[in-house]
Amino acid sequence: MTPMGRPIHPLRQFVLKMHSRCDLACDHCYVFEHADQSWRGRPIVTSDEVLKATAERIAEHATTHGLDTVHVVLHGGEPLLAGHTRLRRAAEELHRTLTGVCALDLRIHTNAVTLDERFLDLFDEFDIKVGVSLDGDKAANDLHRRYANGRSSHDRVLRGIALLDRPRYRHLFAGILCTIDVRNDPVAVYDALAELRPPRVDFLLPHATWDEPPLRPADDSDGTAYARWLLAVYDRWAADGRPMDVRIFDSVLRTLRGDSSLTESLGLAPADLAVIETDGSFEQADSLKTAYDGAPVTGMDVITHSLDDVAAHPGLVARQQGLDGLSDQCRACPVVRSCGGGLYAHRYRTGSDFLNPSVYCSDLLRLITDIRDRHMSDQSVQPALADEHLDELAAGLGSTATTDLLARHQLSLGRELLGLVWHETPHTPLGEAAWETLTLLDGTAPESVDRILAHPYVRPWALRSLEGGTDAAEIAMRGVAEIAAAAALRAGRAEAVVVPVHEGVLRLPTLGTLALGDGVEQAEVRTDNEGFTVRADGTTYTVSWKGPKDPAWRGSRRFELDGWAVALEDTDPWRDCHGHPAHPRLGEGEAEAWRADLAAAWAWIRRELPQYAPGIAAGLQVVTPLGPASDGSDISSAARDAFGAVAIARPAAPESLALLLVHEFQHVKLGAVLDLTDLYDPSCDKLFYAPWRPDPRPLEGLLQGTYAHLAVIEFWFARWRSADGDTARMAEVQFSRWRDQTAEAVETLAGSGALTPAGERFVAGMRGTLRGFRTADVGAEALRAARQAAGEHRGAWEAAAR
């Protein structure tokens, strides 16, 4: 517990200082050039004792709090100055101590001027991802990032990035960090960075406070120069099709739809980072060095203090209070849930410490609202799949940008369906009032409306409403009110919404359900400061976002799993659309077991199938538990009209869950592709042999199965390569079997005579992916077992056909 009696929020991110000096003299560096000058008294290089104690403290903390993954960044100064031997020692110590405790995401952040193949071979051996600092083209970079004698560092950094871009090392490239200077041309900076093909770019606001404000042009009368600079980059990035992740833009878009931020400089997520200096002292975030001398100090060290001690430090606790830790001005701001008050260090002012808005307040307000408006405008235009998007998806994959394009189209369909429901079904007075609220919200808080309409189980409700029947109008108007109430709560608006109640249960999509009892026909839903209240038949129910909740409330459980925000949906009545019975509401122990398994499966996917992780993180927002099979076999499903959701009966092992996730998400993606593009002639009514099914399949069924099995092949290939013993032998057989059967299905599709030109291109892309696996050296025994299984299946199918 913290000194104020709050539970300790565990730390998951650690910056380990390897070397306290640097070979560059960047004049914007917060370590050497800002208020805190404690580097002068630090040891130059960290010691074996500090490395060992750090690893043990992290393992101790991970064990205490059941962490599935920890993130460690080797930092400085310039960490490469610590040398190959010292960096190897750090990697060995961390891996040795954390093996069997939790997964380790190990990274290094460097200026790259001394990066060479020997370093990269070391990083490859320990899977250390590499982030590089670069401020743009030569002119932009040389404005700050020079050697002490004034010499440019640009060419040396490009040489290091060129090494990282070699096929042998490309998987280690984590991205580029670029500090903004508004004197630089934003488009030129973006183009220079994009040309290097980084997987991610972080554009960083230069560290500043109210005491030491940032550089601003003379004509920056409204204080939005940094927003305008970033918006110019955003427009160029969007026009380019978002070729790489940009953390600040992705974070704004995520927080606008209610997800977590990817950076501590935005959003309301609690701080979970600690720094270990070269002398073993624990410090808070390095950015605090810009506030005042000693600002990051905790007075603790790895030898005598635990990470629980650090997590309870008042400085960290102050950054874990969400809205409660912000100034009055911030709490009243319409974009506070996206902005989060900005980076903690940027709020500092002498006299009021950190209880202020960010010194970039006007910039952040402009940036978030303009991105929101641009994104909403994008939603009004039907997205189209360009050839490069189709090719990427045909290979079995899907980047963040491409998956987001699919999601945008699905949201457009959701909006169209909502409009059809409203115009095609009779209205009720409650429905009219709810629609008025929904229209108002769509004008003032459209991101909240979109958050509800993007929920996978809104579409099944809309389709059922449009089917007709005696209860269609009732279903339609109830759903409109449910959507309006949930959107109002998401937006924090005070408008009360009266919602019809069905069979004693109030449904609030994305949020949960409230059991009100038989005989209750309607309920009034209204937000308050801590959550919301529901009034029904003279009874008031209170649901708090943070504290105790009414026992009748069954909230949707949302997990933040290291870059993937996913809800465990066991309340929504429309979730029962997957062809298998949905599991009833889970108990707390069952939900925790799901969280642990999802975390382990996600860590396995990120480690062994990293090419699938961006799409899942961008597009898979809901996992719906199914009831178990009577024979204990694995069950999973993806409904054609529930984009963003998969349904799974929890399997015995996290690896099996990883397989089911990647498999079913293939169906989710392909369903969205088929909503955008005709891949085959819909009039084709022929049935085709599927090597994995006992029954002949229509063309779409064969296409869906073939596409899903691309991920199955990748899974078994990774399992074969990462396992040993009987598991590896079993995985080798499964890989061989699915590779050959899927290849057969691809040729059946290609010869169907029913593919459109886009479909032919798509099937050719699948064939190309399979071609890459044909060279895998499968042993004779595994090949024989796989072919035997395939032969038995075909024999059984042919016998049944006769």
Side-chain angles (χ1 to χ4, degrees):
M1 302 289 284
T2 68
M4 298 179 67
R6 294 188 176 94
I8 287 174
H9 184 83
L11 306 176
R12 291 177 170 84
Q13 301 185 68
F14 306 95
V15 173
L16 177 55
K17 297 298 188 74
M18 298 299 301
H19 199 281
S20 63
R21 305 297 189 268
C22 190
D23 41 7
L24 295 183
C26 308
D27 60 13
H28 58 10
C29 179
Y30 58 84
V31 174
F32 301 109
E33 302 296 332
H34 285 209
D36 186 276
Q37 291 291 297
S38 57
W39 65 272
R40 299 179 183 277
R42 308 277 191 208
I44 292 177
V45 182
T46 193
S47 66
D48 285 353
E49 182 185 25
V50 167
L51 292 177
K52 183 174 186 296
T54 296
E56 290 173 349
R57 290 299 188 190
I58 294 174
E60 172 188 60
H61 194 66
T63 300
T64 299
H65 296 281
L67 303 183
D68 52 83
T69 304
V70 295
H71 310 270
V72 180
V73 180
L74 306 179
H75 211 282
E78 169 49 49
L80 296 187
L81 293 179
H84 304 85
T85 301
R86 184 108 308 252
L87 291 174
R88 172 178 289 278
R89 172 68 172 159
E92 288 175 340
E93 194 67 59
L94 288 164
H95 276 282
R96 180 187 64 79
T97 308
L98 291 170
T99 296
V101 175
C102 65
L104 170 64
D105 174 23
L106 186 56
R107 298 173 181 248
I108 190 166
H109 185 73
T110 174
N111 59 34
V113 297
T114 60
L115 190 64
D116 59 20
E117 290 189 42
R118 189 178 168 202
F119 276 123
L120 289 174
D121 287 340
L122 171 66
F123 301 157
D124 187 32
E125 179 182 349
F126 290 97
D127 193 28
I128 303 174
K129 301 299 192 291
V130 183
V132 177
S133 291
L134 179 68
D135 288 350
D137 56 12
K138 189 174 188 299
N141 196 67
D142 287 355
L143 197 57
H144 299 286
R145 302 187 59 77
R146 293 176 175 270
Y147 288 92
N149 63 5
R151 182 165 55 93
S152 169
S153 66
H154 188 256
D155 291 345
R156 297 292 296 274
V157 180
L158 293 190
R159 182 192 62 80
I161 292 177
L163 283 175
L164 262 176
D165 197 40
R166 290 181 182 177
R168 179 178 175 184
Y169 303 121
R170 176 74 190 176
H171 65 287
L172 299 175
F173 195 8
I176 293 174
L177 273 73
C178 170
T179 301
I180 298 166
D181 190 308
V182 289
R183 293 172 293 182
N184 292 327
D185 181 336
V187 173
V189 168
Y190 168 83
D191 287 347
L193 298 179
E195 186 178 352
L196 300 173
R197 302 189 312 121
R200 168 175 282 169
V201 173
D202 278 2
F203 288 105
L204 307 177
L205 294 168
H207 287 317
T209 67
W210 290 101
D211 291 354
E212 296 289 340
L215 169 73
R216 290 194 178 275
D219 61 352
D220 188 22
S221 58
D222 62 351
T224 64
Y226 290 88
R228 285 181 273 118
W229 195 98
L230 281 165
L231 288 166
V233 173
Y234 178 89
D235 289 340
R236 182 70 162 208
W237 174 67
D240 277 355
R242 304 181 184 181
M244 68 280 197
D245 294 342
V246 177
R247 194 189 299 259
I248 190 169
F249 301 151
D250 291 334
S251 292
V252 169
L253 292 170
R254 283 172 61 90
T255 54
L256 284 173
R257 61 178 184 255
D259 290 341
S260 60
S261 172
L262 301 172
T263 168
E264 66 170 332
S265 61
L266 292 170
L268 293 168
D272 63 356
L273 178 143
V275 177
I276 301 93
E277 291 285 355
T278 55
D279 61 358
S281 59
F282 283 123
E283 290 205 340
Q284 302 175 65
D286 264 2
S287 56
L288 288 172
K289 293 180 183 293
T290 200
Y292 58 88
D293 194 19
V297 170
T298 67
M300 304 179 195
D301 64 78
V302 293
I303 306 300
T304 55
H305 297 88
S306 72
L307 282 164
D308 274 10
D309 294 332
V310 179
H313 185 276
L316 270 84
V317 172
R319 295 160 58 209
Q320 296 174 349
Q321 297 178 29
L323 283 172
D324 293 341
L326 300 181
S327 67
D328 291 342
Q329 180 179 337
C330 286
R331 287 199 297 272
C333 178
V335 301
V336 65
R337 295 184 185 278
S338 285
C339 170
L343 191 69
Y344 191 70
H346 295 171
R347 307 175 202 169
Y348 182 74
R349 188 199 299 264
T350 300
S352 52
D353 291 335
F354 299 96
L355 198 61
N356 309 288
S358 168
V359 72
Y360 293 104
C361 178
S362 298
D363 294 289
L364 292 172
L365 178 61
R366 169 82 180 270
L367 177 69
I368 293 166
T369 54
D370 278 28
I371 287 179
R372 180 196 65 193
D373 294 344
R374 283 163 164 77
H375 192 59
M376 293 304 115
S377 175
D378 289 346
Q379 308 284 12
S380 66
V381 179
Q382 288 287 338
L385 276 180
D387 286 345
E388 59 267 25
H389 298 135
L390 194 66
D391 292 343
E392 177 188 313
L393 290 161
L397 306 178
S399 65
T400 300
T402 300
T403 307
D404 185 61
L405 186 150
L406 298 178
R408 284 167 48 209
H409 182 253
Q410 292 294 307
L411 178 58
S412 296
L413 289 179
R415 282 182 163 272
E416 288 180 11
L417 285 170
L418 178 63
L420 280 173
V421 169
W422 182 248
H423 292 293
E424 298 293 330
T425 57
H427 300 172
T428 64
L430 286 185
E432 295 273 5
W435 185 261
E436 183 178 343
T437 297
L438 194 55
T439 303
L440 175 65
L441 287 168
D442 203 31
T444 58
E447 65 278 4
S448 299
V449 177
D450 280 351
R451 177 72 189 278
I452 311 306
L453 294 181
H455 187 57
Y457 299 126
V458 167
R459 186 165 167 182
W461 156 78
L463 294 173
R464 174 63 184 85
S465 299
L466 293 168
E467 284 178 2
T470 57
D471 60 349
E474 177 191 342
I475 291 171
M477 291 302 102
R478 184 172 69 245
V480 168
E482 290 168 347
I483 291 169
L489 294 179
R490 289 281 184 192
R493 300 305 174 92
E495 294 90 349
V497 181
V498 179
V499 183
V501 173
H502 181 60
E503 295 182 350
V505 175
L506 169 69
R507 171 186 177 247
L508 296 171
T510 75
L511 298 173
T513 60
L514 185 68
L516 300 175
D518 294 338
V520 177
E521 296 183 354
Q522 63 185 45
E524 182 190 80
V525 182
R526 185 189 297 271
T527 189
D528 62 26
N529 291 332
E530 299 297 327
F532 64 94
T533 58
V534 175
R535 292 185 175 88
D537 279 7
T539 302
T540 299
Y541 304 82
T542 300
V543 179
S544 170
W545 299 129
K546 297 180 181 180
K549 298 171 177 59
D550 194 290
W553 174 247
R554 296 178 174 181
S556 178
R557 297 175 173 103
R558 188 170 179 80
F559 305 140
E560 297 286 344
L561 302 178
D562 194 19
W564 178 33
V566 62
L568 193 65
E569 181 59 87
D570 60 353
T571 66
D572 196 300
W574 293 102
R575 74 190 189 282
D576 210 356
C577 61
H578 291 278
H580 301 279
H583 198 293
R585 175 68 170 181
L586 300 170
E588 292 304 318
E590 294 173 301
E592 177 55 29
W594 263 104
R595 187 208 63 79
D597 283 357
L598 282 168
W602 177 237
W604 197 94
I605 290 169
R606 293 182 70 226
R607 183 175 66 253
E608 304 294 343
L609 296 173
Q611 66 273 33
Y612 285 87
I616 289 174
L620 183 53
Q621 55 175 306
V622 164
V623 172
T624 294
L626 294 176
S630 58
D631 61 358
S633 60
D634 290 341
I635 300 177
S636 62
S637 175
R640 181 68 171 77
D641 294 315
F643 177 84
V646 300
I648 297 172
R650 187 165 66 90
E655 293 83 3
S656 298
L657 181 55
L659 170 60
L660 299 177
L661 288 168
V662 295
H663 177 177
E664 295 302 341
F665 192 61
Q666 294 293 95
H667 291 301
V668 172
K669 287 186 295 183
L670 184 55
V673 170
L674 292 171
D675 281 339
L676 270 168
T677 305
D678 287 329
L679 298 183
Y680 62 91
D681 180 354
S683 67
C684 176
D685 58 3
K686 292 170 59 178
L687 298 177
F688 300 87
Y689 169 66
W692 48 83
R693 289 284 299 239
D695 54 331
R697 302 294 291 154
L699 190 62
E700 182 175 342
L702 181 61
L703 180 61
Q704 284 277 5
T706 305
Y707 188 65
H709 288 134
L710 292 182
V712 174
I713 295 164
E714 296 258 23
F715 171 86
W716 286 118
F717 184 75
R719 196 87 171 99
W720 173 27
R721 294 306 190 194
S722 63
D724 51 27
D726 290 343
T727 300
R729 285 188 287 273
M730 179 270 294
E732 184 183 13
V733 173
Q734 292 292 337
F735 164 73
S736 178
R737 174 194 172 190
W738 290 114
R739 177 192 62 179
D740 295 346
Q741 290 186 334
T742 306
E744 181 181 357
V746 163
E747 298 313 315
T748 301
L749 288 166
S752 67
L755 298 178
T756 64
E760 291 174 351
R761 185 181 186 112
F762 195 85
V763 170
M766 291 196 290
R767 183 190 287 121
T769 294
L770 287 165
R771 192 180 299 122
F773 288 110
R774 301 303 296 178
T775 58
D777 189 17
V778 176
E781 182 180 344
L783 196 60
R784 184 166 52 251
R787 288 176 176 171
Q788 179 180 348
E792 291 172 354
H793 179 275
R794 178 175 281 277
W797 187 87
E798 290 173 347
R802 288 195 296 269

